[in-house]
Structures are given as structure tokens and as C-alpha cells.
Amino acid sequence: MGIPYTGRFAPSPTGLLHAGSLVAALASWLDARAHGGQWQVRIEDVDTPRCVPGADQAILQQLAVCGLVPDGSVLRQSQRDEHYAAALQTLVEKGWAYPCGCSRKDIELAAAHSVARHQAAVYPGTCRHGLNGKPARAWRLNVQAVQNALGLPTLTHWSDRRLGPQQQNVCDEVGDFVLRRADGLWAYQLAVVVDDAAQGITHVVRGQDLADNTARQIVLQAALDLPSPKYLHTAVVLGENGEKLSKQNGALALDLSDPLAALQQAAQVLGLPIQPKQDNFLSQALAAWSDKYLLHDQGLRAVAPSQSRTQSCMG
Ligand code: GLU
């Protein structure tokens, strides 16, 4: 028997899977299977203007071609408005969320005066104590109010299963972050926290480019009285410009005429020693993943991969 485990892969359907997104899909699948747990897929289509019609189905097909098939039904963020609204309402009632009337330009100007050392504009809390006659645009979390009320430390600490101990001062490094955007769409941070809890996610495995969001999500989980999953952030695929490969910087859709080659490339990014051209790729990758991560997790022992779970086209 493994520990209770539910993991997830949470693609945004802004296009097809590319080499970088397959790394997150494979890693989260391997970790779930290695723990003998559940692996769910959540379609993060909350940012509707950026979503490409049909991309959700296409992504699920791409995953299936690679032998990565979710347990249970697929959750779609576009159908979960009322849950995000309820979470925001809870925060408003506690006095931990407030409307903000600042435009991006206002924030950049104010931030430039107050905290010039940060590259990304830290929200300086302009509307924390009132809108000053401006119309409300976005909703933000009052981070300090949450930390004070719950007795949370100013530095949010967490231990990443790959990166080790991490910390962030959310107030100083990010500021009061957005829960609902000025365009009325739900912010990623709110949706991801509400949904990870709703799906009973115990372990989040995703790309290292998202590691910087974790402290915010931990504060928000505490504010909503939700449990925090364990986190593991994987290496990411870099494009030619040295930045993380993404649809925005022209990543090509995966060529799944040879799914094994695509999976092997993803395994290589994850640092898994896989023999070339093995037809039982997923079983091998599972053993390699267990050696690399499970045996190192305190109190965990590798769980033998179950036969049925690994019987797919990738064997
Ligand atoms: N939807 C996000 C993405 O595609 C992933 C969010 C997450 O794993 O927390 O980058």
C-alpha cells in the first residue's frame, strides 16, 4: 500500500502539447504511478481569450498516444466559476481581499518609486485601504492581513522535493496578488488553489518555471483553510534563446508520429537514465523515477509499479 496520493497535470489549452509540456505531464504521471496513486488531468481554461478551441481534446489525445491516461473525469476550470466566486467571497468576508482600481501603468509607476530593486513590479498596496474614487478593477489578497491573522511567518517556507528548502517573502517580493483580474477572469492563483483542494491533490509535480508561484499558493491555501500539497518542480526545456520553451516563444507541437522518441526526450530532461529504444519505456521510466525521487523522500518506500497501470501502447 502506498501513501494516499493524488497528483495532476494541469495544461492550459492555449495550443497543443509541446516538448516542454510533455515533461510536466510525464513527471506528474510517473510520480503518481510510482506512489501507486491517482493521476488527474485538469484543463486550465480559465483564461478564455488565450484558449484555442479544441485544444483540450487534442491535448488529451496527445497524452493518450503517449500512454498517459487520466484516472476519472477531467476537470475544466471554465465550468467552475461558482467555486472561485465562493472562495473570493470567503476572503472578502474575512477582510482579506479588497478591490483594486490601479491600472498596470499606475502599479509600475508606484512600484518604481517604492521598490526599485525588484525587476517585476511589486504591487505597492495602493488600494489596500480604499479605492480613492477609482472604479474597482481587480480583486487582490491582503497578504499581510492573512499572515497577521493566522500567525504565519513573513517568510513563507516550503520544501521542494527536487529543489530543496525554498522561501519567499510574498509581501516584499510579490505584494498583494490578484485573485480576480480587471477583465473579470479568475486569476491562476485562485483557480489553482481552489481546484487542487477540490480534486484532493496531495502532490503537485510541475515545471520549475512555476516554482515562484508556490509561496503565493501556500498563503492562499492557509487563507482558505485548505491543505497544502507537497511540491516537486522539474527541470524545464529551454528554447534556443535560453528561455523556457513555451507556445509564446514558438515551441512546436509534439511530433507524435514517434511517441517513444518524444517520451525519451522528456525523460532525458528529467534526468532519468533510460536505455534508447526500449519498448517498455514507461515501466523503465517508472523504476528510474522511483529510484530518483521516492527513495529520497523521507518515510516513503518505492511502490512496485502495478502491471495494469503500465500496460499501454508504451508498455
Ligand atoms: N496551467 C499551467 C500551465 O500550463 C500549469 C499550472 C500548474 O501546474 O500549477 O503552465
Side-chain angles (χ1 to χ4, degrees), residues 8 10-12 44 188 192 206 210:
R8 51 53 162 199
S12 305
E44 299 213 320
Y188 159 67
V192 83
R206 60 186 177 191
L210 291 164

Side-chain angles (χ1 to χ4, degrees), residues 8-14 21 24 42-45 77 188 192 196 204-207 209-210 213 217 231 233 244 247:
R8 51 53 162 199
F9 173 53
S12 305
T14 52
S21 34
R42 177 168 76 232
I43 299 291
E44 299 213 320
D45 53 356
Q77 291 193 323
Y188 159 67
V192 83
D196 279 340
V204 169
V205 177
R206 60 186 177 191
D209 55 304
L210 291 164
N213 294 282
Q217 292 171 15
Y231 289 93
H233 289 88
K244 183 212 155 197
K247 285 156 220 158

Side-chain angles (χ1 to χ4, degrees), residues 156-178:
T156 301
H157 291 270
W158 52 283
S159 177
D160 187 274
R161 292 170 53 213
R162 171 171 164 266
L163 302 172
Q166 305 289 310
Q167 62 178 45
Q168 188 179 55
N169 183 325
V170 178
C171 277
D172 283 2
E173 295 175 47
V174 184
D176 290 348
F177 55 90
V178 172

Side-chain angles (χ1 to χ4, degrees), residues 261-275:
L263 285 165
Q264 279 176 325
Q265 202 195 348
Q268 195 174 16
V269 175
L270 294 171
L272 302 178
I274 309 281
Q275 300 302 314

